[in-house]
Amino acid sequence: MKKNLFAWLCVFSLIAALCLTACGKDDAADKSTDAGATANGAVDLWKDVEGDEIQAKVTIPGGTVTIVLNRNGDGYISTQQGDNLDGNDFNRPELDAEMGMYATMYGTYEIKDGECVATLASQIYYRFVAWGKDADALLDACFEANFTEKDKEAYYGKGVIRSEEKGTTVLCCSYENDTYTAKSLTTYDENKVKISESIVNADGSYTSTNYHANGTAADVCDYDKDDNLIKKSVYTESGALEYVETATYEEGKSVTTRTDANGKVIRTEERKSKQLENGGHYAENTVTENGVVTYRNVIEEKVGADGDAISSYNSLEEVTGNRAVHNVNYIDHKNATNNYTFSEEYVDDVLTYYFCAIEKVTVIEGASGRQNVTYTADTGKYTLNVECVDANGGLTGQGWDYTPDEYVHGAWETFEYVPG
């Protein structure tokens, strides 16, 4: 099957576009006319470097990037998107080569106050690089499978543009020998108005600020060195504090607490997760607003020792304004007769929708089979349906309508599951 690269070609955020894999060491030569040469005793970027290119890995807010600097002052930043591809991805298994796609920003760099400052156009180009004995043939196979002639020059050149981006991105790094350390990352729009700025601390933690159009801070976020959000302060365009969120982390659990400008707790979000045996997992997310649980989602996937799925459980409770919903879905991958589906919705505490279905064979109104029941406010009735196998082995169905006063919920509608 031919590989569809367009599933990869999405619009990346700045950090996603810059979160790259890295490579190598710095090598080059004559430094008298280098773009990176400095005066006043500052370290020379090209000292002891052979060749005309420097490649370095740089850890920036949100990830790790590869920065490439040329001796003439040009440069770019690039990140691989997805896994390497080979001939099998294009129905050409005989090709001895691999290739990758890289989101790339191009620009220039200079040395300012002993730091390397790269100024890049925020436009993202998707660049295709192949290596191996049949590298050229693999590049051609990818082109033929995914692109048209209008993309040919870009595909074989600096890269294909999938969405227009404007503005600039500025990455400032300190450097020593072949080690580059990010100091700040700043983005500007096409009018040179600052959009965001991240300042990196010596321990790898950092503070990121997003700005309103009028130049005031929209939010200020503090992250630890592992990219965990520790604190977020949100402001109005006038500069007034709206709220502050703080987060705590421990193994398998995180809690985010939001307080208003007066310090009153108005929202908490608690997340729990753990790995189960054989690759299964459990996750729970609970949101409480002004003392009321407005969202709770529990997911559990159980897996057997053979690697096959045993069961899947998903429960969701959500309150939005005057509307409340509760959904439950359980799938028994070993025995479908245990499957269970439940959904109900209330508006202003009045039931507007109800549905429950099971696969297990039971007897209802004298009929034996799987069943479901539905209620809608539009009809004002409960409709009970039973599907069963008749004496000839054929599937038949029966149905009954009940008013809310007449309908009695059956024991089969009650499902007990203890997750975790």
Side-chain angles (χ1 to χ4, degrees):
M1 176 183 229
K2 291 184 178 180
K3 195 72 160 185
N4 184 359
L5 295 182
F6 294 105
W8 289 356
L9 296 177
C10 56
V11 178
F12 293 88
S13 66
L14 170 66
I15 297 303
L18 293 180
C19 291
L20 338 171
T21 56
C23 72
K25 186 182 185 290
D26 325 49
D27 282 34
D30 186 356
K31 53 188 181 300
S32 59
T33 58
D34 296 339
T38 59
N40 301 322
V43 177
D44 183 356
L45 186 71
W46 293 90
K47 180 176 170 47
D48 299 326
V49 174
E50 297 178 358
D52 294 325
E53 180 182 278
I54 292 174
Q55 295 187 15
K57 181 168 68 175
V58 182
T59 299
I60 64 167
T64 301
V65 305
T66 295
I67 185 170
V68 178
L69 307 176
N70 296 317
R71 191 179 286 273
N72 66 0
D74 294 337
Y76 63 86
I77 284 178
S78 183
T79 176
Q80 183 171 358
Q81 306 299 308
D83 299 325
N84 289 342
L85 305 176
D86 58 25
N88 292 309
D89 294 301
F90 307 105
N91 291 333
R92 297 289 302 278
E94 75 280 5
L95 297 180
D96 181 12
E98 288 187 285
M99 66 175 294
M101 181 177 72
Y102 299 83
T104 304
M105 291 180 179
Y106 295 94
T108 61
Y109 74 94
E110 58 183 325
I111 303 303
K112 293 183 177 179
D113 301 322
E115 294 181 336
C116 178
V117 180
T119 301
L120 309 155
S122 294
Q123 178 62 63
I124 299 173
Y125 294 82
Y126 294 94
R127 190 167 49 93
F128 297 84
V129 179
W131 54 93
K133 181 172 70 69
D134 300 319
D136 291 343
L138 183 60
L139 275 176
D140 293 342
C142 176
F143 177 81
E144 292 167 4
N146 294 281
F147 297 92
T148 62
E149 281 297 311
K150 71 180 181 63
D151 293 312
K152 188 170 186 178
E153 182 177 352
Y155 175 85
Y156 290 101
K158 65 187 298 184
V160 175
I161 294 176
R162 280 298 162 210
S163 62
E164 297 290 336
E165 303 288 337
K166 297 181 179 180
T168 56
T169 298
V170 178
L171 174 62
C172 179
C173 299
S174 62
Y175 58 92
E176 183 176 355
N177 299 325
D178 59 356
T179 300
Y180 288 72
T181 304
K183 307 294 287 185
S184 65
L185 182 68
T186 310
T187 62
Y188 301 87
D189 67 15
E190 64 270 31
N191 298 315
K192 299 184 179 180
V193 175
K194 187 185 294 186
I195 299 173
S196 65
E197 180 178 43
S198 295
I199 305 297
V200 184
N201 302 315
D203 63 355
S205 62
Y206 58 95
T207 298
S208 293
T209 303
N210 293 306
Y211 295 92
H212 289 294
N214 66 358
T216 61
D219 58 66
V220 179
C221 299
D222 295 322
Y223 296 83
D224 65 18
K225 62 182 180 60
D226 297 316
D227 296 318
N228 294 313
L229 178 63
I230 302 301
K231 181 179 179 181
K232 178 180 181 180
S233 302
V234 177
Y235 300 88
T236 65
E237 287 193 68
S238 66
L241 177 66
E242 278 195 89
Y243 62 84
V244 176
E245 286 186 347
T246 56
T248 60
Y249 302 88
E250 56 186 78
E251 185 176 358
K253 178 181 176 180
S254 69
V255 179
T256 301
T257 303
R258 179 183 297 183
T259 58
D260 63 18
N262 297 317
K264 178 185 176 182
V265 175
I266 57 176
R267 186 181 189 274
T268 61
E269 181 171 2
E270 181 177 312
R271 293 178 177 269
K272 298 178 181 178
S273 64
K274 64 180 178 180
Q275 294 299 118
L276 304 179
E277 292 182 349
N278 308 314
H281 74 275
Y282 171 86
E284 179 181 335
N285 184 15
T286 304
V287 176
T288 304
E289 299 181 88
N290 296 313
V292 177
V293 175
T294 58
Y295 180 90
R296 186 169 187 268
N297 186 208
V298 176
I299 298 173
E300 183 170 76
E301 303 283 345
K302 291 183 178 180
V303 178
D306 56 3
D308 293 338
I310 295 177
S311 64
S312 301
Y313 174 79
N314 190 332
S315 173
L316 172 66
E317 298 173 77
E318 186 172 18
V319 177
T320 306
N322 65 342
R323 178 175 177 267
V325 299
H326 182 202
N327 300 318
V328 176
N329 189 50
Y330 174 76
I331 299 174
D332 187 331
H333 296 286
K334 302 295 185 180
N335 183 358
T337 63
N338 292 325
N339 292 353
Y340 175 84
T341 302
F342 170 86
S343 179
E344 64 179 352
E345 176 180 320
Y346 288 83
V347 176
D348 292 325
D349 296 324
V350 176
L351 181 67
T352 58
Y353 178 78
Y354 179 88
F355 177 80
C356 186
I358 66 170
E359 298 287 332
K360 185 175 293 184
V361 174
T362 58
V363 177
I364 299 178
E365 299 283 353
S368 176
R370 62 187 183 186
Q371 62 274 336
N372 67 75
V373 61
T374 303
Y375 170 84
T376 65
D378 291 339
T379 65
K381 294 181 180 181
Y382 284 89
T383 300
L384 177 65
N385 296 295
V386 177
E387 290 183 338
C388 56
V389 177
D390 61 22
N392 297 319
L395 186 65
T396 63
Q398 297 186 50
W400 301 267
D401 288 335
Y402 301 89
T403 67
D405 292 335
E406 293 174 330
Y407 184 70
V408 179
H409 290 280
W412 64 272
E413 295 175 66
T414 300
F415 178 77
E416 294 185 4
Y417 183 78
V418 180

